[in-house]
């Protein structure tokens, strides 16, 4: 048994990683801000100690893991170095786990968390499986047959991983504070797939991902288009589920039914189906597992009040916003779709200002919340008023005091963003429930 201290334990990835280490029988503790984060609930269920930041938390005998939000100047990290303790970054520690067990890494600009949830759901019902999902969900097994993890491209963190298998859902320019352009993004993903040992499952419909050529791993492609190894056909969507056929090398593999509604989610599910099939899991077992699928935290999380539906979603990129609005329209045909969006980071908002406007305008009405800045950002280079100017008829919601602006009925209210808009969403649920 080892002892681990996690700096920034409430981070979505760090929380998941701490849960895995605890489940595997190790002693785990961590530090973070006192502010409540939804990710700490699963830590509390395991009685994992959480402290406020302080050098007194760093003790002899512990390995120390540094969260991605921090650098080596953090006081606790410096103390660990002074004591000569073994230290890891988040990516290094996850890379260590992935190297010890047959592993699957799920990456892509969009859909990582949802796809990791789908893959984990299939494998955990058919193999002893540990998994890390980017919504703060982690599960560890002492004698795992597979380790599944969401792999983030930001700052090229995923280059710390050398998995047996990988899924690449798409490549789309994002994180403009780090990547120069889509070519820089592509280069990062190409470097990643070059490190995969066995097979890379790639969305063949995606303009950039389809161009990836791993150095040694086999390539399997999936999607709606002709020529994919696993092709999706005959999609039927109701308010309860979607039904679709998957053809493998032009022969029917199976007909699948899932509680997903957007075409992007059906595509993501097919990547999980393909990976499971490659690893010898039967079609019947795959169907049974997908039938039990539940969305990840903050991924189209629905709350129904009367004839209204309130949705909390993590969408924070123009492509994701468009896909989320499309899902709402497909599932709730006939209801008005109201988009309430909180941009995440000044750099992303400034870079994609017009693209955000274009995506948001696919909703019936648009409301904007003040931008949620990253702790890394030192300068406010754009304001929410700038996005309002280029988004037709958009109005601003500053707080719950503006809920009167959202006085609609028989509607789908989409609260979208990667910041803290989920808190506003929960206040709106309380408001509508009165």
């Amino acid at each position: 048994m080892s002892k681990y201290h996690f700096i920034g334990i409430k981070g979505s990835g760090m929380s998941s990683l701490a849960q895995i280490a605890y489940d595997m029988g190790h002693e785990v503790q961590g530090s973070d801000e006192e502010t409540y984060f939804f990710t700490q609930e699963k830590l509390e269920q395991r009685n994992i100690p959480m402290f406020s930041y302080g050098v007194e938390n760093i003790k002899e005998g512990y390995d120390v893991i540094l969260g991605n939000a921090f650098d080596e100047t953090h006081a606790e990290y410096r103390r660990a170095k002074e004591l000569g303790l073994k230290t890891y970054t988040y990516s290094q520690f996850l890379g260590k786990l992935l190297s010890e067990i047959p592993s699957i890494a799920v990456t892509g600009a969009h859909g990582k968390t949802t796809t990791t949830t789908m893959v984990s759901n299939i494998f955990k019902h058919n193999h002893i499986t540990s998994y890390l999902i980017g919504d703060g969900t982690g599960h560890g097994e002492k004698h795992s047959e597979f380790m599944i993890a969401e792999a983030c491209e930001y700052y090229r963190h995923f280059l710390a991983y050398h998995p047996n298998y990988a899924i690449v859902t798409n490549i789309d320019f994002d994180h403009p504070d780090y990547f120069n352009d889509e070519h820089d993004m592509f280069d990062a993903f190409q470097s990643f797939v070059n490190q995969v040992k066995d097979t890379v499952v790639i969305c063949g419909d995606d303009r950039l991902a389809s161009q990836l050529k791993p150095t040694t791993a086999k390539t399997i492609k999936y999607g709606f288009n002709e020529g994919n190894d696993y092709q999706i056909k005959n999609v039927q969507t109701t308010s309860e589920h979607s039904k679709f056929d998957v053809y493998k090398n032009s022969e029917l593999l199976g007909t699948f039914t899932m509680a997903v509604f957007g075409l992007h989610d059906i595509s993501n599910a097919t990547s999980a189906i393909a990976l499971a099939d490659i690893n010898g899991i039967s079609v019947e077992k795959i169907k049974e597992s997908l039938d039990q699928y539940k969305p990840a935290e903050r991924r189209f999380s629905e709350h129904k009040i009367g004839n209204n539906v309130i949705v909390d979603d993590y969408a924070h990129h123009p492509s994701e916003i468009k896909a989320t609005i499309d899902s709402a329209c497909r599932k709730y045909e006939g209801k008005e779709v109201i988009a309430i969006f909180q941009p995440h980071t000044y750099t992303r908002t400034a870079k994609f200002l017009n693209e955000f406007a274009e995506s948001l305008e696919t909703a019936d009405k648009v409301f904007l919340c003040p931008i949620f800045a990253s702790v890394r950002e030192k300068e406010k280079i754009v304001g929410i008023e700038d996005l309002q100017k280029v988004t037709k008829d958009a109005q601003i919601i500053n707080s719950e005091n503006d809920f009167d602006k959202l006085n609609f009925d028989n509607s789908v209210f989409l609260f979208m963003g990667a910041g803290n808009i989920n808190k506003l969403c929960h206040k709106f649920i309380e408001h509508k429930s009165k």
Side-chain angles (χ1 to χ4, degrees):
M1 182 186 75
S2 299
K3 295 181 178 181
Y4 296 115
H5 177 83
F6 290 80
I7 302 174
I9 194 169
K10 296 181 187 178
S12 57
M14 288 286 277
S15 172
S16 304
L17 202 53
Q19 292 165 48
I20 291 169
Y22 176 88
D23 292 348
M24 288 179 169
H26 302 296
E27 188 173 324
V28 174
Q29 66 171 45
S31 56
D32 214 307
E33 298 176 5
E34 292 184 9
T35 307
Y36 179 84
F37 293 94
F38 72 92
T39 53
Q40 73 188 69
E41 183 179 337
K42 292 183 175 72
L43 298 170
E44 291 168 345
Q45 289 169 359
R46 292 167 169 83
N47 295 315
I48 294 174
M50 288 174 276
F51 310 106
S52 298
Y53 294 122
V55 293
E56 66 275 8
N57 298 327
I58 307 302
K59 304 166 188 171
E60 294 283 359
Y62 280 82
D63 292 354
V64 175
I65 297 97
L66 180 69
N68 284 337
F70 309 101
D71 60 25
E72 295 179 1
T73 63
H74 193 284
E76 289 190 355
Y77 186 84
R78 291 203 312 269
R79 179 61 175 159
K81 285 296 187 184
E82 287 169 6
L83 293 175
L85 305 182
K86 188 179 290 185
T87 59
Y88 302 90
T89 63
Y90 166 86
S91 303
Q92 288 169 345
F93 191 69
L94 178 54
K96 174 177 175 289
L97 290 181
L98 291 170
S99 69
E100 294 171 351
I101 306 167
S103 56
I104 299 165
V106 180
T107 192
H110 318 299
K112 290 186 288 289
T113 299
T114 295
T115 307
T116 308
T117 303
M118 292 172 173
V119 175
S120 300
N121 207 58
I122 296 172
F123 276 78
K124 75 182 182 183
H125 285 108
N126 294 281
H127 292 282
I128 301 171
T129 303
S130 297
Y131 52 86
L132 182 150
I133 303 171
D135 67 345
T137 300
H139 176 79
E141 293 281 353
K142 292 181 181 178
H143 305 290
S144 297
E145 295 172 321
F146 283 96
M147 173 74 196
I148 300 168
E150 181 173 332
C152 184
E153 74 280 9
Y154 192 34
Y155 279 89
R156 288 176 164 80
H157 288 311
F158 57 6
L159 296 189
Y161 317 144
H162 293 76
N164 298 83
Y165 301 92
I167 291 174
V168 182
T169 57
N170 46 59
I171 301 174
D172 194 4
F173 181 41
D174 196 9
H175 305 297
D177 58 321
Y178 174 73
F179 290 108
N180 298 319
D181 50 32
E182 69 174 28
H183 302 293
D184 194 20
M185 285 275 290
F186 181 87
D187 176 71
F189 279 91
Q190 182 61 60
S191 297
F192 170 71
V193 298
N194 286 346
Q195 298 181 171
V196 179
K197 298 170 186 172
D198 192 305
T199 304
V200 185
V201 178
I202 294 171
C203 181
D205 297 349
D206 187 77
R207 177 176 63 88
L208 292 173
S210 60
Q211 298 177 40
L212 292 170
K213 291 180 172 55
T215 305
T216 55
K218 293 176 288 191
T219 300
I220 296 292
K221 293 185 178 179
Y222 67 93
F224 291 90
N225 296 343
E226 293 286 342
N228 285 311
D229 301 293
Y230 290 81
Q231 187 183 8
I232 307 155
K233 293 184 180 181
N234 307 321
V235 176
Q236 301 172 51
T237 300
T238 69
S239 61
E240 301 299 320
H241 58 249
S242 291
K243 187 177 181 181
F244 56 98
D245 294 333
V246 174
Y247 282 75
K248 177 184 178 182
N249 299 324
S250 302
E251 292 187 8
L252 181 65
L253 178 70
T255 300
F256 299 87
T257 302
M258 280 185 75
V260 297
F261 305 93
L263 296 178
H264 64 295
D265 281 332
I266 293 170
S267 178
N268 292 337
T270 304
S271 73
I273 292 166
L275 188 61
D277 181 57
I278 291 165
N279 279 280
I281 300 175
S282 72
V283 171
E284 288 308 312
K285 291 289 187 183
I286 296 171
K287 288 181 181 180
E288 288 174 15
S289 302
L290 292 180
D291 192 47
Q292 300 174 55
Y293 167 76
K294 292 180 181 178
E297 296 281 348
R298 299 208 60 221
R299 270 63 178 183
F300 213 85
S301 301
E302 298 181 54
H303 307 267
K304 295 181 180 178
I305 301 172
N307 62 355
N308 293 302
V309 182
I310 302 169
V311 177
D312 179 18
D313 195 272
Y314 195 70
H316 58 282
H317 183 280
S319 299
E320 296 167 352
I321 290 167
K322 193 171 183 180
T324 302
I325 293 171
D326 175 66
S327 293
C329 292
R330 287 173 62 85
K331 183 173 184 180
Y332 294 108
E333 190 176 351
K335 288 187 183 289
E336 199 167 39
V337 175
I338 315 297
I340 305 102
F341 174 56
Q342 179 194 54
H344 184 248
T345 77
Y346 297 131
T347 50
R348 183 184 284 116
T349 307
K351 185 69 178 179
F352 300 121
L353 200 67
N354 293 319
E355 290 86 350
F356 276 125
E358 185 180 334
S359 294
L360 287 163
E361 287 171 4
T362 61
D364 295 298
K365 290 183 172 61
V366 179
F367 295 86
L368 303 171
C369 301
I371 298 167
F372 188 91
S374 164
V375 293
R376 300 182 184 93
E377 295 182 304
K378 308 301 181 189
E379 184 183 356
K380 182 179 178 180
I381 59 174
V382 66
I384 196 60
E385 296 78 13
D386 297 297
L387 181 55
Q388 183 187 27
K389 287 175 187 174
V390 297
T391 308
K392 186 180 178 182
D393 298 329
Q395 297 183 55
I396 292 177
I397 299 279
N398 285 301
S399 68
E400 62 266 32
N401 296 329
D402 295 325
F403 281 164
D404 287 346
K405 295 180 182 180
L406 300 176
N407 191 23
F408 305 102
D409 202 33
N410 192 32
S411 299
V412 182
F413 297 87
L414 295 178
F415 285 79
M416 298 178 287
N420 62 357
I421 193 170
N422 57 313
K423 294 181 180 178
L424 188 68
C425 178
H426 292 152
K427 288 180 180 177
F428 185 67
I429 292 168
E430 293 173 4
H431 171 79
K432 275 288 187 182
S433 300
K434 291 178 182 176

